[in-house]
Amino acid sequence: MNNNYKAGTPINGNDYLLLNIDGTKDDADTDNGLFSGSNFFGGGGGGGGCNNNQTSITHRRHHKMTTRKDRELMSHFESLDFNSIDNIIHRKYTLEKKKYQKILKTLGKWVICSLIGVVVGLVCYCLKESVDQLQSLKLTQVKKFYSTESTIFVPFLVYLGFNLCYGLISSLLVCIFGPMSSSSGLPEVKGYLNGIRIAKAFNLKTVLGKLISLIFSFSSGLVLGPEGPMFHIGAGIGSSMSQFKSKTLKFHLKSFWVFQNDSDKRDFISCGAAAGIAAAFGAPIGGVLFCLEEGSSFWSRQLTWRTFFSCLIATMTANLFLQGFAQQIHDYGVLTFGVSKSYLYTYTELIPFMIMGVIGGLLGAIFVHVNVRVNHWRKKLFENKSKVHKLLEVCAIVLLSSAICFFPALLAHCRPISGISGLTPGTCDPGDDTTLILNQFNCAEGYYNPMATLTLTTLENSLQIVFSRSSNIFTPLTLLAFSIFYYVLTIITSGLYVASGIFIPMMLIGSSWGRLIGIFLSKYFISIDPSIYALIGAASMMAGSLRMTISLVVIIVELTETTQYLLPVILSVMVGKWCGDIFNESIYEHLIELKHIPYLNSQPPNHLRKKTVAEAMSTDVKTLPEIVKVKTVLTILETCPHNGFPVVMLPQLHSNSNLNDSNQLSLSLNLNDLNNNNNNNNNNNNNNNNNNNNNNNNNNNNNNNNNNNNNNNNNNNNNNNNNNNNNNNNNNNNNNNNNNNNNNNNNNNNNILCGLILRSQLSVLLRRKLFNSPDDLKNIDFISDKGYNLPIDHSEFSQELASKIPPIHEISKSITKEDLDMYIDLRPYMNFAVVSIKNYSSLSEAYQIFRQVGLRHMVVINVFNNVVGMLTRKDLC
């Protein structure tokens, strides 16, 4: 495809519809669709501003700036085909589709969603039981040495040995199963649901590796949680169970081809991801809202019901196995806060709740700012290093975490268990204080260590204790030290080469300093319940770091059964999010950028609002005619890495002439060669136009000279001659204009967009050898396709697309020399519903269309409907 803003016609440069149509650039070179120039990088970031030499790792919302290097790294990712291909074979399948087939597909989706819920619930049960067993084994052995050893260092070495063993196993599993098994995986899931193909993100190997790695990392004493990885694990289960194929196990059930497309796979991944959150928190509604708010970029009413059904099944399955079959189900929440008539709040307390929201927003913004930079430094440090260095880093962080969890407990003063105030009447769960797991550690019988109660146990047990309605459990100094220690540890732990999440750590940190504020207010101002402030602190901290709103409120309510505290929770969450947004975006948004995933937010960045499509589009576009030689297709696929090719019109195929004539048919087919030489033709056309213009100018000069001579000789004759000359000139001009218009129409018709064909479709056509000879093409009615027997139907073609397509160099081995001279008719397979946009359109409008429709390619055309470029998501980031 030529780099043509020029349409091969002389055009008025002042035409507002044809901005930059002569190829000139206003600010800087577009560099094949990659933004550059000082105007683009300078001042577009708002606030502090950015220039073309320096970009910030973190930024405010809608102030994202990308460099040329960032977009080069983004080019490694491919987009998904969420839109169905509207072609002849699909229309034929739709017309012939029976009603029972639609019912079976709908029923199949509900069955798959229910199976996803059951499997996710079982996985969550296995995770929690495994973690409990490993923690029990570790703490039992450590406790055994408390009573037998006189020195405290032996118990610490035992504690450290277990943690190092668990941490190394977790990191080794990531080394074996791949880097996708590390961290939370939530950025990868968000990227896929946004329309980005991320290799090995949801295969069975990654899911198993992340699950086992999470079990050991969660038991290793590291400050991390299981909820984020469960989002990824659930998404992987949804992907595996819905597609009925696995590259790891090497099987593919083609009979389920109706579900084996990117759109349906996206919906099932959404169901699985939401079910993972629901099972981990025991919050089915919160799981749906979390996926809607934070995960999925495309949503529908039907998906809402299916996702809620999966979440309900997953939560019930997990609790059924965790609580036992004989026990009556009380609630689904892991943390039972209860409803009380005695522990209420007054409207004056809304002021400290708002202040806590501000504190949570500030601490969350600081966490995002520092953690993203730590991960950026970590990425650069280990970029060219072996995995041994990552294992050593895990060992170092485990050692630091173990020391911080163990030795500060030795400095804490033992407190008598009898000094803990019990629950007052009016609470729904009067036996709540009996569930508190107090750690005796180095204290005498009847006493407990408050710091060890928080550090030497699981994070979920620590959260239950901090949320307890019992008073006088912790001193202010204990809560302050614990908050600072875990805040620092969470910053350096998030991003390690193990499976990890930050949901529970953020809640635990927020609840600790929230309870501290509650103790301070109750001691010096009014009599209040510190546990309510622990709840508000947890919500504020999560809102400040994760920037969740509705889903966070619902998860907190479902998790703790605190409907009577809905107003303070909503207030603190909103204030926390607003304060955090002043400084930067959520932690997941920045991690997506750190991984160079070309994610498109719901709204375009501010700098795109000043640009046109012509300034961002890629001009290196390869077009194909409606009927193309096999040799041409093979050459393009071997030499061009593009995944989408606009199909342009062959004018002769759409004329009223009879194409059964061999001369007319050969004329239309020869346009293939003309299309492949667009650059030469356009250059020749431009040269010819320039020569014609020069000749016209010379002729005009000669006419003027002759007119002047005639004027000197005879005025009367001059008048007559002038009239004749004017008439002749007018006639000549009219003839020239007509000729120019005809030539322009011919030039424009050579590159008119009529469809889009994908690389995968072309590969299937070559692999199946769906070719036509020139004799076969004579018998086809190109206008109406009557009597045209399609060589392949939609179901078979979709099965081929869902299968693993060999690379083009392997397909070319089966192509013979005779096949190279054959032709491929692209009309039955190309997408008629290709989305195009004018090159003078606003880039922000193109962004909105691309994002909302879920496109992979957007063809750019000029005012004459000629293909001049292409937009992909990398051009919009």
Side-chain angles (χ1 to χ4, degrees), residues 57-59 357-375 483-484 486-488 490-492 494 502 506 509 513 540-547 576-587 590:
I57 299 177
T58 57
H59 55 81
V358 174
I359 296 174
L362 293 176
L363 292 177
I366 295 172
F367 170 81
V368 172
H369 183 86
V370 179
N371 180 255
V372 171
R373 280 160 173 76
V374 168
N375 283 316
S483 301
I484 295 174
Y486 267 50
Y487 186 75
V488 175
T490 304
I491 289 176
I492 63 177
S494 179
I502 61 172
M506 287 292 104
I509 294 168
W513 61 258
S540 303
M541 193 69 194
M542 289 188 70
S545 57
L546 306 180
R547 310 297 158 80
K577 182 185 183 303
W578 287 335
C579 290
D581 284 340
I582 295 175
F583 302 98
N584 46 43
E585 290 194 86
S586 73
I587 181 64
H590 287 301

Side-chain angles (χ1 to χ4, degrees), residues 432-449:
D432 184 68
D433 60 342
T434 61
T435 63
L436 297 181
I437 303 175
L438 303 176
N439 199 327
Q440 183 180 349
F441 194 50
N442 58 343
C443 299
E445 191 68 28
Y447 288 80
Y448 72 98
N449 190 308

Side-chain angles (χ1 to χ4, degrees), residues 130 277 620 754 802:
S130 300
I277 291 292
D620 184 21
C754 63

Side-chain angles (χ1 to χ4, degrees), residues 509-543:
I509 294 168
S511 61
S512 299
W513 61 258
R515 192 178 184 96
L516 175 63
I517 292 177
I519 293 175
F520 175 79
L521 292 177
S522 63
K523 185 175 182 180
Y524 295 101
F525 293 96
I526 56 177
S527 177
I528 59 173
D529 179 18
S531 61
I532 299 177
Y533 286 77
L535 175 69
I536 302 303
S540 303
M541 193 69 194
M542 289 188 70

Side-chain angles (χ1 to χ4, degrees), residues 760-869:
S760 57
Q761 293 176 287
L762 293 174
S763 299
V764 171
L765 295 176
L766 291 174
R767 184 183 182 187
R768 295 290 299 268
K769 293 190 175 183
L770 302 179
F771 307 149
N772 300 98
S773 65
D775 295 333
D776 296 334
L777 294 175
K778 294 178 184 179
N779 301 322
I780 299 175
D781 185 354
F782 289 94
I783 304 300
S784 62
D785 289 320
K786 292 180 179 179
Y788 186 18
N789 294 323
L790 298 175
I792 188 173
D793 60 6
H794 175 69
S795 61
E796 190 176 359
F797 198 73
S798 299
Q799 292 176 29
E800 290 288 341
L801 291 175
S803 303
K804 184 179 180 181
I805 300 176
I808 189 61
H809 67 269
E810 293 185 8
I811 297 177
S812 61
K813 295 178 181 178
S814 61
I815 306 297
T816 62
K817 293 183 179 180
E818 292 77 12
D819 295 333
L820 295 177
D821 295 328
M822 302 285 281
Y823 293 89
I824 301 178
D825 184 9
L826 300 181
R827 292 180 305 156
Y829 318 105
M830 69 179 182
N831 187 7
F832 296 138
V834 55
V835 178
S836 62
I837 193 168
K838 295 292 193 297
N839 59 343
Y840 51 80
S841 301
S842 170
L843 188 57
S844 61
E845 292 301 318
Y847 183 102
Q848 294 282 11
I849 296 172
F850 197 100
R851 168 65 170 77
Q852 293 176 8
V853 180
L855 298 178
R856 184 178 183 181
H857 304 95
M858 178 182 284
V859 183
V860 182
I861 57 178
N862 60 14
V863 70
F864 304 107
N865 291 328
N866 300 135
V867 178
V868 296

